[in-house]
Amino acid sequence: MKIFVPIKRAIDYSVKIRVKADGTGVDQANVKMSMNPFDEIAVEEAVRLKEAGKASEILVASIGPAKAQDVIRTAMAVGADRGILVQTDAPTDIGGVEPLAVAKILKAIIDAEKPELVIMGKQSIDDDSNQTGQMLAALLGWGQATFASKVELDGSAVKVTREVDGGLETLSLKLPAIVTTDLRLNEPRYAALPNIMKAKQKPMDTKTPEDYGVSITPRLSVVKVSEPPKRTGGGKVASVDELIDKLKNEAKVI
Amino acid sequence: MAILVLAEHNNKELKPATLNAVGAASKMGGDIHVIVLGHGCADVAQAAAKISGVAKVFKADSPALAHGLAENTAPVIAGIAKNYTHIIGASTTTSKNILPRVAALMDVQQISDIIAVHDADTFDRPIYAGNAIATIKSSDSLKIITARGTAFDAAPASGGSAGIEDLAGASDAGLSAFVSAEVSKSDRPELTTAKIVVSGGRGVGSGENFKIIEALADKLGAAIGASRAAVDAGYVPNDYQVGQTGKNVAPQLYIAVGISGAIQHLAGMKDSKVIVAINKDPDAPIFAVADYGLVGDLFSIVPELTEKL
């Protein structure tokens, strides 16, 4: 079985982001970039399926600037076999390549590569849209299991436990299918140094959105990007009695 | 202009999140219709018809829709989408699962998790865990939107008398099947709509220790939340998680106990009216957003607070 894992390069989760002074976006210059954390979980799950003998090949793809090949090499260092960089200089957070366009490019890759399972992050932590997997499933006419916390391959089906608002839900999907990952699916491993070196030798193709016949013209225009209202916190109380007094008589919330 | 709102329900009861989605729809101007997709969901359709401001309810009742599978529900919504300028759902796992599938079927770029409506095409939505707010304008003729519940007032649940129309044509796409569900049972208020939330983090130390959080919550009539660290450690179930990728809450009072305050957690609770932080580390980032911070041992402070309230 071939597993396809789309991955995204985004500002690292630990970075305190800065809104650009001209209100056009978020400053990406000289900021640490990493693989989107949900995508790391997706790669890890694919690698575990391959280690368990249930998958034969792991293909990864990333859409973004030339530097996005870094996240492809990172995925290769933990076990992905092959990569495709779909290169574009359009922004990948907002005002550029949007989830619908990403889904169309991924569909074109899937039409050519014919994987039986796609595992991908449920959302990227830059634009927080949480759309691409569902859109891709619709375009392919495949089943979808979003927000996965457990994935079990069983012949021609995949059983997936999903994290939903009321608790957990388990679905069975006919293959091929799309699975999107939630936080508790697994704990991604770190790449070992020899594997990072070996990853440089693995095959990677470079394409463009045009190669797949997909227009990436945005449907949503960015009017402005602004800072959220600042919260004035930092108040302290010295005791439980003072806290209760403040909540009753100052904040009046109890 | 006509707006279609996706009802959130469990086939028996309409969930309050639907009222917030109708509240968001009312900011856009136009007739508001509600669609109920389920099986044996007549009571839900009746409840939706009573929502103030709703002009019509569509009920699609079929075994194929019983569990809200996206593969079966999305085509039903797409089937009537051309009659609408907007399709809206609350930012719940149900809408997050179904609406992007509808959007792709309609060739629409969805707008996720809006927090404000400027006009029928222009909306605010948080990006980067709420550390930036993007104002975006859609060029699609159909807008497909999820709306953050805490950002929009709930429409009154009564006062309306909409007609209910049956919608036929639902079928099983044969792509997916429901196997089982583990629904968390609780007599406490629902986390996303509670007036008071008491949340515990890694500092609470164990699932057993969460009893002191529960005691405080019950004294206050509060819902219980948790940080990602507490959920990952298995202290509490996943649906307690507050944060960027968990639930967003904005209660009158949020009490964070043993939570350090990672930006991903702050993203889910910083719109609370009053924030209390109890933590032994005086440098914990949670204190920077707290109105009332109390530095000390939560295992003595929380029981004392519960007793004195």
Side-chain angles (χ1 to χ4, degrees), chain A residues 93 131 144 146 170 231 250, chain B residues 71 97 109 128 180 272 292:
Chain A
D93 56 352
Q131 300 173 2
Q144 67 185 55
T146 48
T170 303
R231 211 187 155 96
E250 189 175 81
Chain B
E71 298 81 356
N97 187 45
Q109 176 51 56
Y128 289 95
S180 62
S272 303
Y292 305 113

Side-chain angles (χ1 to χ4, degrees), chain A residues 35-115:
Chain A
M35 194 189 309
N36 179 47
F38 290 97
D39 305 352
E40 290 183 333
I41 295 170
V43 171
E44 175 68 31
E45 194 66 16
V47 171
R48 289 185 189 189
L49 287 168
K50 191 177 172 196
E51 287 170 345
K54 294 183 172 177
S56 52
E57 188 187 20
I58 300 167
L59 171 69
V60 296
S62 190
I63 302 168
K67 290 288 282 177
Q69 63 184 280
D70 293 353
V71 297
I72 293 175
R73 294 296 176 200
T74 302
M76 288 171 167
V78 293
D81 298 295
R82 197 155 60 83
I84 302 173
L85 170 67
V86 183
Q87 198 173 328
T88 170
D89 289 325
T92 51
D93 56 352
I94 54 163
V97 197
E98 295 168 338
L100 183 62
V102 171
K104 288 177 180 178
I105 294 169
L106 297 178
K107 178 184 184 292
I109 294 173
I110 289 165
D111 287 343
E113 294 280 350
K114 310 221 176 335

